[in-house]
Amino acid sequence: MKHFRDEDALVKKIARHFLPSRGGRLRLGIGDDAALWKPKPGFVGILTSDWFLEGSHFLREKHPPDSVGWKCLARASSDIAAMGGTPCCFLLNLALSDDATGKWLGGFLGGLRRAARSLDCVLAGGDTTRSKRILINVTVVGEIREGQELLRSGARPGDLLFGSGTLGEAEHGLQLLQKSRGRMSPKNLATRKHLYPEPRVELGRWLVEQKLGTAMMDISDGLSSDLPRMCAASGVGALIDPRKLPVLPGIPADSARQLALHGGDDYELLFSVASDHEERLPTMFRNLKLTRIGKITKGREVRMIGRDGRSKPLDAGGWDPFR
Ligand code: ADP
Ligand code: MG
């Protein structure tokens, strides 16, 4: 069933869910041909964009529309956090099926609005079209003081490797969701991190302000897939100690470790710190644990310490849409 007479009516509904541009640096939001945004002097823009597709990234019958709204902005903003930056505004590109323009859209916009408020990131515009399946693309514009940005390429041999929060929690939530019948309640705590991830914006910003990191990225596909990317960019290797990983409590140790090594969707930060700065890094940042999980090495291989105490290659086992 179609709920709107035309595209303009649909865009009006979307716009109504969000505050109009508040005379801030988003000089012009929805309504003209394009948005106008004024960067802060001395800052550079950070641009990133992320797909979120029905059937690949979420399932209509399993994921609450509210979670789809929250997560599409949260995961795109995580890439801004991974540079040490702050999200400012975003573009929402939506392709909706006719049966998604009613109740589903309402739930989606509710979750999206909560994420936008919580990140203080305003909707600047987007594009809307029709399709058989729901396709969502979010582009986030962020900013960072010029020269402060933390890249993947700065890790040096001898640096220590850290991860924030708990690893494997979102994947565990996804597994529970897959086993469940029907949609999971947004209130189910075990699936919370899969449904409502929280990009680590404050931590990223603090690390760059303190000049503590040498390299940083977010863990979106899983440690075993993402760490090799950081190593390749830096021209270094890494050695992980699986016994040190910040695993999910309350499940068998072996599965918890596998989830922490290969599970995706956590949106935690992975960062390296020069060894003589280790004491400056607290074990907690606000409510977030910071765990030393290994170190950067000279060889270009990513390895981990095995049960016998010897190191062995860590094979990428995380999420890859082409695998
Ligand atoms: P055009 O035909 O030039 O692409 P549109 O009619 O698509 O213009 O867009 C009109 C206005 O509505 C623009 O400001 C655009 O950014 C905004 N807009 C369209 N779709 C969305 C959306 N899904 N979310 C937010 N803003 C949107
Ligand atoms: Mg358009």
Side-chain angles (χ1 to χ4, degrees), residues 10 34 40-41 46 62 82 106 131 139 143 151 164 171 179 212 214 229 231 242-243 260 265 285 302-303 311-312:
L10 186 50
K40 252 194 254 174
I46 310 178
K62 294 276 185 189
S131 132
T139 295
E143 65 184 8
L151 309 184
S164 67
E171 185 77 23
K179 279 187 222 143
L212 261 170
T214 53
R229 294 176 177 140
C231 288
R243 287 161 311 182
D265 258 8
F285 175 80
V302 177
R303 302 177 70 84
S311 84
K312 58 176 191 183

Side-chain angles (χ1 to χ4, degrees), residues 93-173:
N93 297 310
L94 266 183
L96 291 177
S97 51
D98 288 343
D99 61 353
T101 53
K103 206 169 159 219
W104 191 90
L105 181 63
F108 169 82
L109 292 174
L112 182 64
R113 177 173 54 190
R114 281 197 302 113
R117 283 196 184 154
S118 132
L119 289 160
D120 197 17
C121 186
V122 286
L123 180 62
D127 200 26
T128 309
T129 190
R130 246 170 119 178
S131 132
K132 283 213 185 82
R133 283 193 300 166
I134 304 170
L135 314 172
I136 305 163
N137 183 286
V138 172
T139 295
V140 183
V141 177
E143 65 184 8
I144 189 164
R145 193 177 289 284
E146 202 160 1
Q148 268 193 348
E149 63 279 359
L150 204 41
L151 309 184
R152 295 180 177 188
S153 53
R156 294 295 167 257
D159 289 355
L160 305 174
L161 198 57
F162 290 84
S164 67
T166 304
L167 296 179
E169 193 176 345
E171 185 77 23
H172 181 64

